[in-house]
Amino acid sequence: MAEKPMVNIQGLNSYYGKGKERKQVLRNVSLTLDPGEVLGIVGESGSGKSTLAKCLLGVVKDTEGTLEVNAFRPQMVFQDPYGSLNPAKSVGWFLEEPLRVLGVKDKKERKAQAIDMLQQVGLGEEHYSRRPSQLSGGQRQRVAIAAALIGGSRLIVLDEPVSALDVTMQAQILQLLVDLKAKFRLSYLFISHDLAVVYQICDRVAVMYQGEIVEQGDVDTIYDNPQHDYTKKLLQASLALEE
Ligand SMILES: Nc1ncnc2c1ncn2[C@@H]1O[C@H](COP(=O)(O)OP(=O)(O)OP(=O)(O)O)[C@@H](O)[C@H]1O
Ligand SMILES: [Mg+2]
């Protein structure tokens, strides 16, 4: 029997605001994400990519349709974790917070797990006591990824996780995500406006336009043979950038 999808979204509508201000953002969105799979979400600014992520994580509550998430504590990684990393707290504090929430009471145990996770993301014990301001952008992103994983979450929503990084650092973080995915059998919903990055990491891609998914499928199929005009435009724009 096929495994149950980790995420099953069917006919999802979502809204912001109340009364006369209530505005629909997502329109009839349907997608599934299987265990171990990476689904890319691409589309222009304002098309509803982050809103879709927020629906999945239960942050946006005004929705209609089917929204099933069969995963333990799905987590989100943002473009620049600087905002979400409290500048007054150490990396160790930040990594141990999910463990405190989960009831790991033993201080030594928490620290051991935090240091192990730092190593999993390519950092070391020396980063444990650092503050966010004492890390590079790439290192902060590694900490954010470690914090997303440390509580046992296997579904990670990555919202433009490498967009704030230079090209070399992007490649390193993408490789880390690929390695971690294999090691922990993770599933990713990978939001990006960069089609080249999506091509590197995603199995499938869904193209969003004005709150709708206008097409989705295997990355190779969509990139070789885009059906929708908007997808064609996106691909042309991304090829033009490479030249
Ligand atoms: N909290 C909110 N309240 C009201 N409207 C919102 C809210 N958040 C987003 N929107 C609106 O919903 C639409 C989709 O926004 P969303 O952030 O999902 O787009 P996006 O595809 O992630 O864009 P970007 O690529 O710029 O991050 C936009 O029109 C935006 O203005
Ligand atoms: Mg967004």
Side-chain angles (χ1 to χ4, degrees):
M1 205 180 83
E3 249 174 313
K4 211 170 159 184
M6 206 156 213
V7 177
N8 179 29
I9 293 176
Q10 300 296 329
L12 184 72
N13 299 326
S14 87
Y15 304 83
Y16 286 120
K18 288 204 169 71
K20 277 192 192 148
E21 303 286 295
R22 190 166 180 256
K23 195 186 93 183
Q24 184 166 7
V25 174
L26 296 185
R27 296 168 194 280
N28 196 26
V29 167
S30 297
L31 59 85
T32 60
L33 178 65
D34 287 330
E37 195 177 34
V38 183
L39 174 65
I41 306 287
V42 301
E44 65 192 355
S45 183
S47 58
K49 304 181 297 296
S50 296
T51 300
L52 174 59
K54 288 177 195 161
C55 288
L56 199 154
L57 291 169
V59 180
V60 168
K61 296 204 164 68
D62 191 356
T63 61
E64 298 159 350
T66 302
L67 177 61
E68 292 167 3
V69 180
N70 304 305
F72 174 67
R73 299 181 81 239
Q75 297 291 303
M76 190 134 165
V77 173
F78 298 93
Q79 177 169 342
D80 183 3
Y82 211 54
S84 54
L85 293 175
N86 184 336
K89 302 289 186 185
S90 67
V91 166
W93 184 92
F94 192 67
L95 291 182
E96 288 178 31
E97 185 58 12
L99 300 177
R100 277 186 286 269
V101 170
L102 289 170
V104 181
K105 293 210 167 60
D106 183 1
K107 240 177 146 176
K108 274 191 191 146
E109 171 62 23
R110 286 201 307 261
K111 182 170 182 181
Q113 285 194 37
I115 287 169
D116 177 64
M117 203 35 93
L118 279 174
Q119 285 160 353
Q120 303 275 7
V121 299
L123 297 172
E125 197 164 351
E126 70 274 21
H127 298 103
Y128 179 85
S129 309
R130 297 242 185 115
R131 312 270 154 198
S133 62
Q134 299 168 313
L135 298 172
S136 71
Q139 288 170 336
R140 281 201 291 273
Q141 206 53 311
R142 287 174 194 271
V143 170
I145 293 166
L149 292 180
I150 197 163
S153 306
R154 295 297 172 256
L155 170 60
I156 313 293
V157 177
L158 301 138
D159 194 349
E160 303 273 5
V162 298
S163 304
L165 306 174
D166 67 46
V167 174
T168 314
M169 198 57 73
Q170 282 195 355
Q172 287 179 19
I173 298 293
L174 288 174
Q175 188 57 51
L176 172 69
L177 290 170
V178 168
D179 294 343
L180 291 170
K181 188 194 105 145
K183 198 175 221 170
F184 295 107
R185 199 155 187 263
L186 305 175
S187 305
Y188 296 143
L189 190 78
F190 189 95
I191 296 170
S192 178
H193 65 273
D194 186 333
L195 272 73
V197 165
V198 166
Y199 190 76
Q200 285 176 54
I201 191 162
C202 297
D203 305 308
R204 285 189 300 123
V205 60
V207 182
M208 287 196 76
Y209 183 66
Q210 296 183 352
E212 284 182 72
I213 292 182
V214 292
E215 68 181 302
Q216 61 177 313
D218 290 342
V219 170
D220 283 323
T221 312
I222 302 273
Y223 280 49
D224 290 346
N225 193 13
Q227 296 299 308
H228 199 276
D229 280 347
Y230 177 65
T231 316
K232 289 177 192 168
K233 268 193 211 150
L234 268 183
L235 282 163
Q236 274 158 9
S238 118
L239 285 175
L241 279 179
E242 273 172 34
E243 276 160 14

mmCIF file of all heavy atoms in Angstrom, residues 16-17 23 25 43-52 54 159-160 191 193, ligand 1:
data_model
loop_
_atom_site.group_PDB
_atom_site.id
_atom_site.type_symbol
_atom_site.label_atom_id
_atom_site.label_comp_id
_atom_site.label_asym_id
_atom_site.label_seq_id
_atom_site.Cartn_x
_atom_site.Cartn_y
_atom_site.Cartn_z
ATOM 1 N N TYR A 16 -7.535 36.659 4.384
ATOM 2 C CA TYR A 16 -7.044 37.572 5.415
ATOM 3 C C TYR A 16 -8.124 38.611 5.689
ATOM 4 O O TYR A 16 -8.881 38.977 4.793
ATOM 5 C CB TYR A 16 -5.785 38.310 4.950
ATOM 6 C CG TYR A 16 -4.529 37.477 4.928
ATOM 7 C CD1 TYR A 16 -3.834 37.276 3.737
ATOM 8 C CD2 TYR A 16 -4.010 36.920 6.095
ATOM 9 C CE1 TYR A 16 -2.657 36.525 3.710
ATOM 10 C CE2 TYR A 16 -2.839 36.179 6.072
ATOM 11 C CZ TYR A 16 -2.167 35.983 4.877
ATOM 12 O OH TYR A 16 -1.016 35.256 4.852
ATOM 13 N N GLY A 17 -8.156 39.128 6.901
ATOM 14 C CA GLY A 17 -9.079 40.211 7.232
ATOM 15 C C GLY A 17 -10.460 39.716 7.587
ATOM 16 O O GLY A 17 -10.771 38.529 7.441
ATOM 17 N N LYS A 23 -10.282 39.313 2.509
ATOM 18 C CA LYS A 23 -9.754 39.217 1.145
ATOM 19 C C LYS A 23 -9.232 37.807 0.904
ATOM 20 O O LYS A 23 -8.494 37.273 1.720
ATOM 21 C CB LYS A 23 -8.607 40.230 1.003
ATOM 22 C CG LYS A 23 -8.184 40.510 -0.409
ATOM 23 C CD LYS A 23 -6.950 41.413 -0.433
ATOM 24 C CE LYS A 23 -5.701 40.551 -0.498
ATOM 25 N NZ LYS A 23 -4.434 41.173 -0.455
ATOM 26 N N VAL A 25 -6.913 35.050 -0.579
ATOM 27 C CA VAL A 25 -5.546 34.982 -1.105
ATOM 28 C C VAL A 25 -5.326 33.668 -1.856
ATOM 29 O O VAL A 25 -4.964 33.669 -3.025
ATOM 30 C CB VAL A 25 -4.504 35.180 0.014
ATOM 31 C CG1 VAL A 25 -3.097 34.961 -0.526
ATOM 32 C CG2 VAL A 25 -4.613 36.587 0.587
ATOM 33 N N GLY A 43 6.745 31.319 -7.731
ATOM 34 C CA GLY A 43 5.730 32.292 -8.132
ATOM 35 C C GLY A 43 6.174 33.678 -7.717
ATOM 36 O O GLY A 43 7.017 33.828 -6.837
ATOM 37 N N GLU A 44 5.573 34.683 -8.353
ATOM 38 C CA GLU A 44 6.037 36.049 -8.111
ATOM 39 C C GLU A 44 5.654 36.528 -6.710
ATOM 40 O O GLU A 44 4.830 35.892 -6.031
ATOM 41 C CB GLU A 44 5.464 36.993 -9.171
ATOM 42 C CG GLU A 44 3.957 37.122 -9.105
ATOM 43 C CD GLU A 44 3.397 37.818 -10.333
ATOM 44 O OE1 GLU A 44 4.165 38.277 -11.190
ATOM 45 O OE2 GLU A 44 2.161 37.893 -10.420
ATOM 46 N N SER A 45 6.230 37.639 -6.322
ATOM 47 C CA SER A 45 5.946 38.234 -5.028
ATOM 48 C C SER A 45 4.450 38.522 -4.899
ATOM 49 O O SER A 45 3.835 39.051 -5.822
ATOM 50 C CB SER A 45 6.750 39.536 -4.903
ATOM 51 O OG SER A 45 6.548 40.082 -3.638
ATOM 52 N N GLY A 46 3.872 38.108 -3.780
ATOM 53 C CA GLY A 46 2.452 38.366 -3.550
ATOM 54 C C GLY A 46 1.539 37.279 -4.097
ATOM 55 O O GLY A 46 0.317 37.364 -3.967
ATOM 56 N N SER A 47 2.118 36.233 -4.679
ATOM 57 C CA SER A 47 1.270 35.186 -5.272
ATOM 58 C C SER A 47 0.673 34.251 -4.225
ATOM 59 O O SER A 47 -0.203 33.444 -4.545
ATOM 60 C CB SER A 47 2.057 34.383 -6.313
ATOM 61 O OG SER A 47 3.197 33.794 -5.741
ATOM 62 N N GLY A 48 1.185 34.304 -2.985
ATOM 63 C CA GLY A 48 0.568 33.514 -1.916
ATOM 64 C C GLY A 48 1.423 32.364 -1.395
ATOM 65 O O GLY A 48 0.933 31.512 -0.654
ATOM 66 N N LYS A 49 2.701 32.367 -1.732
ATOM 67 C CA LYS A 49 3.591 31.268 -1.325
ATOM 68 C C LYS A 49 3.709 31.173 0.196
ATOM 69 O O LYS A 49 3.547 30.091 0.780
ATOM 70 C CB LYS A 49 4.992 31.453 -1.949
ATOM 71 C CG LYS A 49 4.978 31.578 -3.467
ATOM 72 C CD LYS A 49 6.374 31.729 -4.040
ATOM 73 C CE LYS A 49 7.120 32.971 -3.612
ATOM 74 N NZ LYS A 49 6.511 34.247 -4.047
ATOM 75 N N SER A 50 4.014 32.306 0.831
ATOM 76 C CA SER A 50 4.166 32.285 2.294
ATOM 77 C C SER A 50 2.827 32.021 2.975
ATOM 78 O O SER A 50 2.772 31.376 4.030
ATOM 79 C CB SER A 50 4.758 33.612 2.797
ATOM 80 O OG SER A 50 6.055 33.775 2.286
ATOM 81 N N THR A 51 1.762 32.503 2.361
ATOM 82 C CA THR A 51 0.430 32.243 2.914
ATOM 83 C C THR A 51 0.141 30.737 2.919
ATOM 84 O O THR A 51 -0.383 30.201 3.898
ATOM 85 C CB THR A 51 -0.635 33.000 2.103
ATOM 86 O OG1 THR A 51 -0.342 34.396 2.171
ATOM 87 C CG2 THR A 51 -2.042 32.734 2.620
ATOM 88 N N LEU A 52 0.528 30.076 1.853
ATOM 89 C CA LEU A 52 0.348 28.622 1.784
ATOM 90 C C LEU A 52 1.135 27.949 2.922
ATOM 91 O O LEU A 52 0.626 27.052 3.603
ATOM 92 C CB LEU A 52 0.813 28.114 0.416
ATOM 93 C CG LEU A 52 0.824 26.605 0.212
ATOM 94 C CD1 LEU A 52 -0.562 26.011 0.423
ATOM 95 C CD2 LEU A 52 1.332 26.262 -1.197
ATOM 96 N N LYS A 54 1.949 29.288 5.756
ATOM 97 C CA LYS A 54 1.296 29.608 7.032
ATOM 98 C C LYS A 54 0.025 28.791 7.239
ATOM 99 O O LYS A 54 -0.312 28.443 8.374
ATOM 100 C CB LYS A 54 0.987 31.108 7.094
ATOM 101 C CG LYS A 54 2.235 31.962 7.291
ATOM 102 C CD LYS A 54 1.867 33.438 7.257
ATOM 103 C CE LYS A 54 3.092 34.304 7.074
ATOM 104 N NZ LYS A 54 2.722 35.650 6.583
ATOM 105 N N ASP A 159 11.115 28.798 3.639
ATOM 106 C CA ASP A 159 10.598 29.947 2.895
ATOM 107 C C ASP A 159 11.781 30.816 2.449
ATOM 108 O O ASP A 159 12.314 31.579 3.237
ATOM 109 C CB ASP A 159 9.604 30.740 3.755
ATOM 110 C CG ASP A 159 8.783 31.730 2.927
ATOM 111 O OD1 ASP A 159 9.128 31.952 1.748
ATOM 112 O OD2 ASP A 159 7.801 32.282 3.464
ATOM 113 N N GLU A 160 12.177 30.667 1.221
ATOM 114 C CA GLU A 160 13.334 31.389 0.651
ATOM 115 C C GLU A 160 14.576 31.221 1.533
ATOM 116 O O GLU A 160 15.220 32.204 1.896
ATOM 117 C CB GLU A 160 13.015 32.895 0.510
ATOM 118 C CG GLU A 160 11.786 33.213 -0.322
ATOM 119 C CD GLU A 160 12.087 33.322 -1.824
ATOM 120 O OE1 GLU A 160 13.228 33.055 -2.225
ATOM 121 O OE2 GLU A 160 11.147 33.639 -2.574
ATOM 122 N N ILE A 191 10.044 26.939 -0.694
ATOM 123 C CA ILE A 191 9.530 28.132 -1.379
ATOM 124 C C ILE A 191 10.695 28.954 -1.907
ATOM 125 O O ILE A 191 11.635 29.244 -1.167
ATOM 126 C CB ILE A 191 8.705 28.978 -0.387
ATOM 127 C CG1 ILE A 191 7.482 28.182 0.074
ATOM 128 C CG2 ILE A 191 8.307 30.305 -1.015
ATOM 129 C CD1 ILE A 191 6.738 28.834 1.227
ATOM 130 N N HIS A 193 11.834 31.995 -5.260
ATOM 131 C CA HIS A 193 11.541 32.648 -6.531
ATOM 132 C C HIS A 193 12.643 32.308 -7.535
ATOM 133 O O HIS A 193 12.587 32.726 -8.686
ATOM 134 C CB HIS A 193 11.429 34.165 -6.338
ATOM 135 C CG HIS A 193 12.721 34.774 -5.915
ATOM 136 N ND1 HIS A 193 13.114 34.858 -4.597
ATOM 137 C CD2 HIS A 193 13.748 35.258 -6.656
ATOM 138 C CE1 HIS A 193 14.312 35.400 -4.542
ATOM 139 N NE2 HIS A 193 14.724 35.639 -5.766
HETATM 140 N N1 LIG B 1 -1.160 39.187 7.416
HETATM 141 C C1 LIG B 1 -1.709 39.595 6.262
HETATM 142 N N2 LIG B 1 -2.824 40.343 6.244
HETATM 143 C C2 LIG B 1 -3.398 40.741 5.093
HETATM 144 N N3 LIG B 1 -2.903 40.434 3.872
HETATM 145 C C3 LIG B 1 -1.789 39.704 3.817
HETATM 146 C C4 LIG B 1 -1.118 39.239 5.000
HETATM 147 N N4 LIG B 1 -0.025 38.530 4.630
HETATM 148 C C5 LIG B 1 -0.006 38.544 3.288
HETATM 149 N N5 LIG B 1 -1.056 39.245 2.783
HETATM 150 C C6 LIG B 1 -1.385 39.434 1.354
HETATM 151 O O1 LIG B 1 -1.564 38.164 0.773
HETATM 152 C C7 LIG B 1 -1.000 38.114 -0.543
HETATM 153 C C8 LIG B 1 0.009 36.960 -0.616
HETATM 154 O O2 LIG B 1 1.105 37.253 0.240
HETATM 155 P P1 LIG B 1 2.276 36.210 0.513
HETATM 156 O O3 LIG B 1 3.129 36.771 1.586
HETATM 157 O O4 LIG B 1 1.691 34.874 0.731
HETATM 158 O O5 LIG B 1 3.048 36.225 -0.896
HETATM 159 P P2 LIG B 1 4.428 35.564 -1.319
HETATM 160 O O6 LIG B 1 4.149 34.791 -2.562
HETATM 161 O O7 LIG B 1 5.021 34.854 -0.170
HETATM 162 O O8 LIG B 1 5.312 36.842 -1.715
HETATM 163 P P3 LIG B 1 6.901 37.086 -1.541
HETATM 164 O O9 LIG B 1 7.557 36.355 -2.701
HETATM 165 O O10 LIG B 1 7.045 38.582 -1.692
HETATM 166 O O11 LIG B 1 7.327 36.581 -0.203
HETATM 167 C C9 LIG B 1 -0.417 39.487 -0.793
HETATM 168 O O12 LIG B 1 -1.346 40.228 -1.528
HETATM 169 C C10 LIG B 1 -0.228 40.059 0.579
HETATM 170 O O13 LIG B 1 -0.328 41.444 0.554
#
